[in-house]
């Protein structure tokens, strides 16, 4: 968040004199309390200042980077997850390739007959299979998919920044959002992709 000159001046006054009331800040700037109200609200909502009844405003001591980090840690998977694209483990590699292109996704999640997660198919997996000499229309995806425990998953209440780190560290494009059943099976309820994370960061930048 970029502050204007008056907001920076207000911030400096509070740093030097806090806690300080809005009226006292207004007096130092030769302005009315009403004129300052929007600036004080912005500085408070952004986290630069805090306010206590009958005490006044005081500087939180947090830098812009610290405030940004705090806001990042408040974004969760459930806020930005999208609808997952799944295929059954018995479909052919050919059908999986068609599904990937029709749905315009980079990753397919593979489920069993009970719709529980059993594998993941990436573009690389399908490309690798298509380069071989096997008949794609008869080759089931469960032969080439990545299986547990080599699948990175997340849950709806996980922090989005943690998922972003997983995508970067493991060089993958998408992570399934799962819900664990009482028996320990994994139900696919969503997905987080690089696009989801980009949207979240752009939205945060607009707010910040």
């Amino acid at each position: 968040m970029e502050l204007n000159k008056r907001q920076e001046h207000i911030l400096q006054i509070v740093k030097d004199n806090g806690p300080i009331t809005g009226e006292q800040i207004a007096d130092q700037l030769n302005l009315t309390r009403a004129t300052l109200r929007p600036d004080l609200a912005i500085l408070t909502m952004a986290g630069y200042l805090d306010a206590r009844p009958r005490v006044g405003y005081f500087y939180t001591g947090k830098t812009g980077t610290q405030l940004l980090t705090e806001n990042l840690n408040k974004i969760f998977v459930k806020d930005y997850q999208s609808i997952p694209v799944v295929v059954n483990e018995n479909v052919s590699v050919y059908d999986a390739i068609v599904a990937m292109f029709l749905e315009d996704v980079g990753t397919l999640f593979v489920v069993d007959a009970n719709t529980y997660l059993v594998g993941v198919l990436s573009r690389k997996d399908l490309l690798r299979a298509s380069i071989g000499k096997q008949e794609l229309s008869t080759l089931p995806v469960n032969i080439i998919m990545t299986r547990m425990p080599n699948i990175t998953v997340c849950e709806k209440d996980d922090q989005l920044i943690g998922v972003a780190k997983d995508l970067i560290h493991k060089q993958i494009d998408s992570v399934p959002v799962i819900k664990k059943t009482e028996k320990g099976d994994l139900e696919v309820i969503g997905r987080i992709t690089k696009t989801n994370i980009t949207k979240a960061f752009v939205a945060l930048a607009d707010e910040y």
Side-chain angles (χ1 to χ4, degrees):
M1 177 180 175
E2 186 174 350
L3 304 180
N4 61 37
K5 289 185 178 180
R6 187 161 71 191
Q7 290 164 354
E8 290 177 350
H9 197 175
I10 293 170
L11 207 55
Q12 191 60 51
I13 290 172
V14 178
K15 283 182 182 179
D16 295 339
N17 303 283
I20 183 172
T21 66
E23 289 76 10
Q24 291 170 327
I25 297 172
D27 287 342
Q28 290 199 34
L29 294 173
N30 294 318
L31 296 171
T32 65
R33 175 70 172 83
T35 302
L36 286 186
R37 188 171 291 118
D39 292 313
L40 290 170
I42 289 171
L43 291 170
T44 302
M45 287 187 293
Y48 288 102
L49 299 181
D50 203 348
R52 293 178 183 171
R54 296 184 297 277
V55 174
Y57 293 92
F58 61 93
Y59 179 56
T60 62
K62 296 175 182 176
T63 65
T65 300
Q66 289 172 320
L67 295 171
L68 177 59
T69 300
E70 286 185 0
N71 286 330
L72 281 173
N73 290 332
K74 294 176 183 176
I75 303 177
F76 297 94
V77 166
K78 60 187 175 185
D79 300 322
Y80 284 94
Q81 70 183 56
S82 53
I83 298 172
V85 180
V86 302
V87 294
N88 186 272
E89 63 181 334
N90 294 319
V91 304
S92 69
V93 170
Y94 176 84
D95 288 336
I97 292 173
V98 172
M100 182 171 284
F101 276 95
L102 289 177
E103 297 292 343
D104 192 23
V105 295
T107 305
L108 298 172
F109 304 127
V110 186
V111 297
D112 61 16
N114 296 314
T115 70
Y116 295 137
L117 180 70
V118 292
V120 169
L121 280 172
S122 68
R123 285 193 184 101
K124 290 180 181 179
D125 294 325
L126 296 176
L127 179 60
R128 193 179 298 113
S130 65
I131 292 175
K133 297 181 179 181
Q134 301 180 78
E135 178 56 50
L136 299 184
S137 60
T138 58
L139 179 67
V141 295
N142 60 21
I143 301 296
I144 67 165
M145 69 185 185
T146 300
R147 297 175 176 272
M148 295 296 286
N150 297 317
I151 301 175
T152 300
V153 300
C154 66
E155 298 185 63
K156 65 177 184 177
D157 292 323
D158 290 344
Q159 292 178 330
L160 194 63
I161 187 66
V163 180
K165 290 177 180 178
D166 283 338
L167 291 179
I168 294 170
H169 177 67
K170 299 184 179 180
Q171 298 182 351
I172 52 180
D173 295 323
S174 180
V175 172
V177 184
I178 57 93
K179 178 181 179 181
K180 293 181 181 178
T181 68
E182 292 182 356
K183 294 182 178 180
D185 295 310
L186 306 181
E187 179 184 353
V188 183
I189 61 173
R191 64 181 169 132
I192 288 293
T193 67
K194 291 178 179 177
T195 300
N196 296 130
I197 291 172
T198 300
K199 288 179 179 178
F201 291 168
V202 169
L204 179 60
D206 288 342
E207 293 177 5
Y208 198 75

